[in-house]
Amino acid sequence: MVSIKDIAKRAGVSISTVSYALNGNDKVTKETAAKILQAAEELNYVPHAAARLLKTKKSNMIGIFLTDFEGNFYGNLLQGVKEYVSSKGYDLLVCSGPQSRRLISERMIDGAIILDATFSDEELLQYANNGHKAVVLDRELQHPHINQVLLDNKAGATLAIEHLIEQGHDNIYAVSGPAGSYDALQRLRAVHQAIERVPGLTFTVLPGDFTKSSGEAAAQRIAAEYTRPAAVFCLNDEMAIGVYRYIRTHTDLVIGKHIHLVGFDNTELAQFIEPRLTTIDYSMPKWGALASEQLIKMLGGEPVENERIYVTLVQGASVTAATGT
Amino acid sequence: MVSIKDIAKRAGVSISTVSYALNGNDKVTKETAAKILQAAEELNYVPHAAARLLKTKKSNMIGIFLTDFEGNFYGNLLQGVKEYVSSKGYDLLVCSGPQSRRLISERMIDGAIILDATFSDEELLQYANNGHKAVVLDRELQHPHINQVLLDNKAGATLAIEHLIEQGHDNIYAVSGPAGSYDALQRLRAVHQAIERVPGLTFTVLPGDFTKSSGEAAAQRIAAEYTRPAAVFCLNDEMAIGVYRYIRTHTDLVIGKHIHLVGFDNTELAQFIEPRLTTIDYSMPKWGALASEQLIKMLGGEPVENERIYVTLVQGASVTAATGT
DNA sequence: AAATGGAATCGAAACGTTTCGATGAACCAT
DNA sequence: ATGGTTCATCGAAACGTTTCGATTCCATTT
């Protein structure tokens, strides 16, 4: 491979001069610089990233860590991150799986964005203690090298439940999320609070894990004990889709009439399914962009504050007013 | 940062012995190895990837390059790639955007999977000439360092058109893909061939670019000139969804009755939309897994053959038999 | 004409590994 | 005891950069 050394030879200068010229250092004369650049061009030189990283300790790459690639959940988030970081001259690496953690510890990336429950808090604190910077999207963690950009789960869940109550529903279900999930915990907590504010409600929590099939299982239970219209808050859209699927294929009940449904995330599917799913919306690209902005500021040594992503309720026909009593 | 040198000091051995021990080389005695491993443990040693890469010229990372992250198209493909490569001890980096190309040229990754029309053929051949290995998913390219794993576009498009014809349709539209797309070109070519085989059909090609909004535009034209049932083959599902959206919100026509629709890709949305979209299905995870398998074989110097991903027709209610004449 | 200063260039060390060839110690057979 | 093997360990070079401090050269000042 052609290296800086080859350029030096061809241009008749020393290695260090080549390095300076290539990096646009103004110590080097216009003419020598031109000569060097031309030689580099002729030799088809490309720098060796690893060598440079070894010396400078800066890779200009940031990594985002996801639990998996499945579902269409992440697309817009990634897009937001990508656009921001590339505008700042960084590259984005999307990583998933336990193996990929070495990118952090082995200093291949300058910073990380974490949306991956398979990282433990201790692990992240450990990285932070070793000087690695991170922005976390799925937990709260206090450390000078860690910043948080979190969804306003509490507001979202409150909006969802209050909407159901306002529509006159008093037979309410919540379909929960997986055990370790911070988002699920926050949402569920807000649900309980909202429920407690209104006396006289029937309220049931059903287990769930954010997958379609757990939504189906919940729907099965709801259908089995059906006596009067039920209002169901699924802690994410994915499970709500599962509810649609089960209710449609296994029962005569109708979504928006017998089963009233609210989700969380406003995924693409939520917009296209009939009747349109009432759900909690927030801007994925903005979430990603904000997270990367915070991270890059941290890398530059700027102080940052924790941030929050605001949410709104979007109404579809999956929830209608309760009829009579 | 703690390096191999610190371990050497603490364990009272030379640097090279540490390196051997850490790499499990059996030249080194069990006892010294244990001593070294323990020292490494105590010091909380992590290897420095860049240094190793500089020396060994092997990063154990492979990159997959995508045009963008939008849509839910890629999730399952990535999942397939990820699972295969991590089973082989590689890390997967998902990359998008012009910046990320430097991961290839600067040898950060050992090989690349390309599904990104923004790479030109010349560019890829250039990489290959420089010794970089790649598997391409979206074009045909002859080079000893390049392998192809392609969808059977021709079979898919033929299935789609022949299905419409079998159902008795004779007023047929195709909504095309973006100009530079290999997949679109292949599909369209097969469409023409299938159409020509049957005399007496009305056939129109409408422009499209694989986005929902181009599907909507096509639907607008179809609706405007509507006189009798139309059978539409959208070259991907995304555009078919656009057709649904337009037809539903702007016309009184009914999908599966007035407008008969076939897509390509069998996306998640296609399965949930009503009526279910008739479309061409193939296994995304398998596509990804096969591509990575080929790539890793190439990296190991094994010979590989180009591969093809087979497709099938899945029928939904978006196409029904043409009524009478 | 000599001394001074600044600018351009250079040499060498360093980053953290791997790996080749050399060194030395311990063992065995004669 | 001697020489020959084997085996564990070591020293040093190398990978391709960056960057500090030293050197050279030229022009300016006295």
Side-chain angles (χ1 to χ4, degrees):
Chain A
M1 269 305 88
V2 22
S3 80
I4 214 183
K5 198 186 294 184
D6 304 305
I7 301 181
K9 196 177 299 172
R10 173 178 266 248
V13 297
S14 79
I15 287 181
S16 40
T17 306
V18 174
S19 175
Y20 287 132
L22 256 26
N23 290 316
N25 189 315
D26 50 358
K27 283 157 99 180
V28 43
T29 272
K30 271 205 166 33
E31 299 85 55
T32 26
K35 202 170 53 182
I36 290 169
L37 266 350
Q38 196 197 338
E41 175 75 15
E42 287 167 5
L43 292 173
N44 230 301
Y45 168 76
V46 287
H48 192 302
R52 189 202 286 123
L53 171 56
L54 177 58
K55 195 71 206 168
T56 63
K57 305 180 176 330
K58 185 120 179 28
S59 69
N60 283 307
M61 303 195 291
I62 81 142
I64 180 165
F65 291 79
L66 305 176
T67 310
D68 60 43
F69 294 122
E70 262 156 17
N72 61 343
F73 183 78
Y74 299 122
N76 291 324
L77 177 72
L78 294 177
Q79 201 70 18
V81 174
K82 187 195 114 190
E83 270 162 29
Y84 188 86
V85 304
S86 42
S87 79
K88 296 293 179 184
Y90 282 82
D91 283 334
L92 176 65
L93 307 183
V94 186
C95 317
S96 172
Q99 301 232 24
S100 62
R101 283 159 161 73
R102 69 187 181 91
L103 292 175
I104 302 180
S105 57
E106 300 185 6
R107 353 193 95 58
M108 284 266 84
I109 57 176
D110 295 340
I113 298 176
I114 310 286
L115 179 54
D116 183 348
T118 68
F119 279 84
S120 71
D121 289 359
E122 296 69 41
E123 189 178 2
L124 290 174
L125 289 169
Q126 169 90 2
Y127 290 138
N129 281 332
N130 287 338
H132 302 283
K133 311 258 169 100
V135 170
V136 297
L137 268 34
D138 61 352
R139 69 195 75 207
E140 291 179 54
L141 232 40
Q142 301 305 327
H143 192 285
H145 288 163
I146 298 181
N147 184 258
Q148 298 146 36
V149 180
L150 300 174
L151 287 183
D152 197 342
N153 286 307
K154 182 173 175 185
T158 307
L159 281 171
I161 293 293
E162 288 185 347
H163 177 64
L164 290 174
I165 294 173
E166 273 165 24
Q167 294 294 309
H169 294 286
D170 60 357
N171 180 27
I172 299 182
Y173 291 85
V175 184
S176 183
S181 163
Y182 169 84
D183 289 318
L185 185 63
Q186 291 252 308
R187 290 173 200 175
L188 201 57
R189 200 173 282 163
V191 166
H192 277 113
Q193 288 173 6
I195 292 288
E196 277 164 18
R197 259 177 251 129
V198 182
L201 300 173
T202 310
F203 176 63
T204 316
V205 176
L206 297 178
D209 62 3
F210 282 174
T211 65
K212 271 194 210 71
S213 64
S214 72
E216 292 184 284
Q220 185 173 15
R221 271 229 4 220
I222 295 168
E225 64 194 39
Y226 186 83
T227 54
R228 60 192 173 117
V232 184
F233 174 37
C234 289
L235 262 53
N236 75 352
D237 280 3
E238 188 83 355
M239 296 192 296
I241 300 297
V243 172
Y244 273 84
R245 189 155 70 182
Y246 184 86
I247 294 295
R248 273 189 190 158
T249 55
H250 293 82
T251 76
D252 295 327
L253 303 171
V254 175
I255 304 273
K257 186 172 169 196
H258 308 107
I259 307 284
H260 299 259
L261 206 52
V262 183
F264 200 117
D265 286 339
N266 198 21
T267 58
E268 193 184 27
L269 215 48
Q271 304 167 36
F272 277 95
I273 205 157
E274 289 287 330
R276 199 240 191 268
L277 180 63
T278 295
T279 188
I280 303 298
D281 179 56
Y282 52 89
S283 170
M284 281 271 183
K286 192 173 148 196
W287 195 14
L290 193 51
S292 21
E293 186 183 340
Q294 301 286 95
L295 181 58
I296 289 178
K297 278 189 182 156
M298 288 169 75
L299 295 179
E302 292 178 51
V304 292
E305 298 285 313
N306 291 335
E307 295 275 355
R308 192 163 285 282
I309 298 291
Y310 294 100
V311 304
T312 58
L313 178 80
V314 315
Q315 298 192 28
S318 71
V319 176
T320 57
T323 54
T325 294
Chain B
M1 270 306 86
V2 23
S3 79
I4 213 182
K5 198 185 295 182
D6 304 306
I7 302 182
K9 197 176 300 171
R10 172 177 266 247
V13 297
S14 79
I15 288 181
S16 40
T17 306
V18 174
S19 176
Y20 288 132
L22 257 26
N23 291 315
N25 190 313
D26 50 358
K27 282 157 97 179
V28 43
T29 270
K30 271 207 166 31
E31 299 85 55
T32 27
K35 202 169 52 180
I36 289 169
L37 265 351
Q38 196 197 337
E41 175 75 16
E42 287 166 3
L43 292 173
N44 229 303
Y45 168 77
V46 287
H48 193 301
R52 189 201 286 122
L53 170 56
L54 177 59
K55 194 73 219 219
T56 62
K57 304 180 176 334
K58 186 121 177 28
S59 69
N60 283 307
M61 302 195 291
I62 82 143
I64 180 165
F65 292 78
L66 305 175
T67 310
D68 60 44
F69 294 122
E70 261 155 20
N72 62 343
F73 182 77
Y74 299 121
N76 291 324
L77 177 71
L78 294 177
Q79 200 70 19
V81 175
K82 186 195 113 188
E83 269 161 30
Y84 188 85
V85 303
S86 42
S87 80
K88 296 292 180 185
Y90 282 82
D91 282 335
L92 176 64
L93 306 184
V94 186
C95 315
S96 172
Q99 301 232 24
S100 62
R101 284 160 161 71
R102 69 186 181 90
L103 292 176
I104 303 179
S105 56
E106 300 185 5
R107 355 191 95 56
M108 284 266 83
I109 56 177
D110 295 340
I113 297 175
I114 310 285
L115 180 53
D116 183 349
T118 69
F119 279 84
S120 71
D121 287 0
E122 295 71 38
E123 189 178 2
L124 290 174
L125 289 170
Q126 169 89 5
Y127 289 136
N129 282 331
N130 288 338
H132 301 283
K133 311 258 169 97
V135 171
V136 297
L137 269 35
D138 61 351
R139 70 195 74 207
E140 291 179 54
L141 231 41
Q142 301 305 327
H143 191 287
H145 288 162
I146 298 181
N147 184 259
Q148 298 146 37
V149 181
L150 300 174
L151 287 183
D152 197 343
N153 287 306
K154 182 174 176 184
T158 307
L159 281 170
I161 293 292
E162 288 184 346
H163 177 63
L164 290 173
I165 294 173
E166 274 166 23
Q167 294 294 310
H169 294 285
D170 59 358
N171 180 27
I172 300 183
Y173 290 86
V175 184
S176 182
S181 162
Y182 170 84
D183 289 318
L185 185 63
Q186 291 252 309
R187 290 172 200 175
L188 201 57
R189 199 173 282 162
V191 166
H192 276 114
Q193 289 173 6
I195 292 288
E196 276 164 19
R197 259 177 252 129
V198 181
L201 299 174
T202 310
F203 176 62
T204 318
V205 176
L206 298 177
D209 61 4
F210 282 173
T211 66
K212 271 192 209 75
S213 64
S214 72
E216 292 184 285
Q220 185 173 15
R221 271 230 3 221
I222 295 168
E225 63 193 41
Y226 185 84
T227 53
R228 61 194 172 112
V232 184
F233 174 36
C234 289
L235 262 53
N236 76 351
D237 280 4
E238 188 83 354
M239 297 192 295
I241 300 297
V243 172
Y244 273 84
R245 190 154 70 181
Y246 184 86
I247 295 294
R248 273 190 190 158
T249 55
H250 294 82
T251 76
D252 295 328
L253 302 171
V254 174
I255 304 273
K257 186 171 170 199
H258 308 106
I259 307 285
H260 299 259
L261 206 53
V262 183
F264 200 116
D265 285 340
N266 197 20
T267 59
E268 192 184 29
L269 215 47
Q271 305 167 35
F272 277 95
I273 206 157
E274 290 288 328
R276 201 240 191 268
L277 179 64
T278 294
T279 187
I280 303 299
D281 180 56
Y282 52 90
S283 169
M284 281 271 181
K286 192 174 149 196
W287 195 13
L290 193 52
S292 19
E293 185 183 340
Q294 300 287 94
L295 181 58
I296 289 178
K297 277 188 184 158
M298 288 169 75
L299 295 179
E302 293 178 51
V304 291
E305 299 284 315
N306 291 334
E307 295 276 355
R308 191 164 286 281
I309 298 291
Y310 295 101
V311 303
T312 58
L313 178 81
V314 315
Q315 298 191 28
S318 70
V319 176
T320 57
T323 52
T325 297

